[in-house]
Amino acid sequence: MKKDEMIRFANDNPICYMATIENDRPHVRIMKLWFADNSGFYFEVLSPKDLNRQIHANPRVEVCFFNNPKNLAEGRELRISGNIKFISDAAIINKAHKDHQFLEDLGGQSVNDYIEVFKLEHGDAHFWNLKTNILQENVMNHMAF
């Protein structure tokens, strides 16, 4: 597995599931990947959300991307675990504001003061599918990135 394969798969399947931990309890929610490139897997969150509070308290997360094919036998997932890094680069934050203007229509107010951008830039990743799960019990090719 190569990093460019992971990036392509994540960008092609941006709806994913993210797990965080709070008080030793897992919390999983549906997320949308903003984008992935060689520098990491980028997401944005509004600061009042529980997710934001949870990842500030414990930046360790796992994200699962799934290709959701009509034929389940062709299903494939990419699981990535690592530590969140919050982004303070003004150019990236301004791009996040522009790319997420639709949130202002939903909330009826500017969200610029509430958007925080974070990324997974290092961690552990592996692909999973039914075929490898059935034929190779508990064997997955993990990759550090």
Side-chain angles (χ1 to χ4, degrees):
M1 171 177 51
K2 295 184 179 180
K3 190 170 182 180
D4 59 334
E5 182 184 5
M6 294 173 14
I7 291 166
R8 186 172 39 258
F9 188 85
N11 281 320
D12 288 347
N13 303 285
I15 304 303
C16 58
Y17 299 88
M18 181 178 286
T20 59
I21 297 290
E22 181 178 42
N23 298 325
D24 293 327
R25 292 185 60 207
H27 294 269
V28 178
R29 79 268 297 143
I30 295 174
M31 295 286 292
K32 183 179 183 297
L33 174 75
W34 180 25
F35 70 91
D37 64 18
N38 281 322
S39 66
F41 297 80
Y42 288 79
F43 298 86
E44 98 296 325
V45 63
L46 297 177
S47 56
K49 304 292 275 178
D50 286 344
L51 168 65
N52 189 54
R53 183 177 39 77
Q54 290 163 4
I55 58 179
H56 273 284
N58 181 351
R60 186 112 179 114
V61 301
E62 183 168 82
V63 180
C64 181
F65 298 91
F66 183 62
N67 65 344
N68 199 29
K70 289 184 180 191
N71 177 356
L72 191 56
E74 298 170 4
R76 190 173 186 212
E77 72 179 36
L78 168 62
R79 295 176 68 169
I80 303 173
S81 62
N83 289 321
I84 292 296
K85 177 182 178 185
F86 281 91
I87 305 300
S88 58
D89 181 292
I92 292 174
I93 293 170
N94 287 336
K95 182 172 176 12
H97 292 162
K98 289 178 185 174
D99 289 355
H100 295 89
Q101 286 288 296
F102 70 92
L103 293 173
E104 293 188 8
D105 292 336
L106 294 173
Q109 63 179 344
S110 173
V111 296
N112 286 357
D113 294 337
Y114 303 106
I115 288 181
E116 288 196 60
V117 177
F118 62 90
K119 69 177 176 175
L120 278 167
E121 65 179 346
H122 302 290
D124 179 74
H126 66 271
F127 279 103
W128 177 95
N129 64 42
L130 285 172
K131 183 177 181 181
T132 58
N133 186 53
I134 292 169
L135 299 178
Q136 300 176 17
E137 186 173 313
N138 298 322
V139 175
M140 291 185 220
N141 294 321
H142 286 256
M143 180 185 108
F145 68 95

